[in-house]
Amino acid sequence: MAKQGIHPDYHTIKVVMTDGTTYETRSTWGKEGDTMTLEIDPTSHPAWTGGTQKLQEGGRVAQFNKRFAGLSLGKK
């Protein structure tokens, strides 16, 4: 026998993209008829638009390379 009341409510919401376009989808977010306004989406995020990514400028690898740039570990 299936358990009752263990799943979240799955309903229709409206999503507004950063460029103003909208679409309807089903989600567990909010309640029936709510509108989700996105701050970042594939039309504005650098990973999809080809813009500069901050992760490459100050990420872990960049910090490591800057810190150990003068260290030589090669065979002599």
Side-chain angles (χ1 to χ4, degrees):
M1 188 157 154
K3 293 183 181 178
Q4 298 296 318
I6 62 169
H7 297 287
D9 180 36
Y10 192 60
H11 48 269
T12 304
I13 65 166
K14 182 168 122 180
V15 178
V16 179
M17 306 280 277
T18 57
D19 64 359
T21 59
T22 63
Y23 66 93
E24 284 191 358
T25 188
R26 293 183 50 81
S27 176
T28 58
W29 179 85
K31 57 187 181 294
E32 180 77 32
D34 278 355
T35 300
M36 176 186 287
T37 304
L38 301 179
E39 294 176 9
I40 275 195
D41 61 28
T43 63
S44 66
H45 194 280
W48 288 284
T49 61
T52 323
Q53 294 181 2
K54 287 186 178 182
L55 293 176
Q56 292 178 348
E57 297 167 3
R60 291 292 206 187
V61 174
Q63 289 174 2
F64 178 87
N65 288 338
K66 182 179 176 184
R67 184 173 180 184
F68 297 106
L71 186 60
S72 175
L73 297 176
K75 292 183 180 181
K76 294 184 181 192

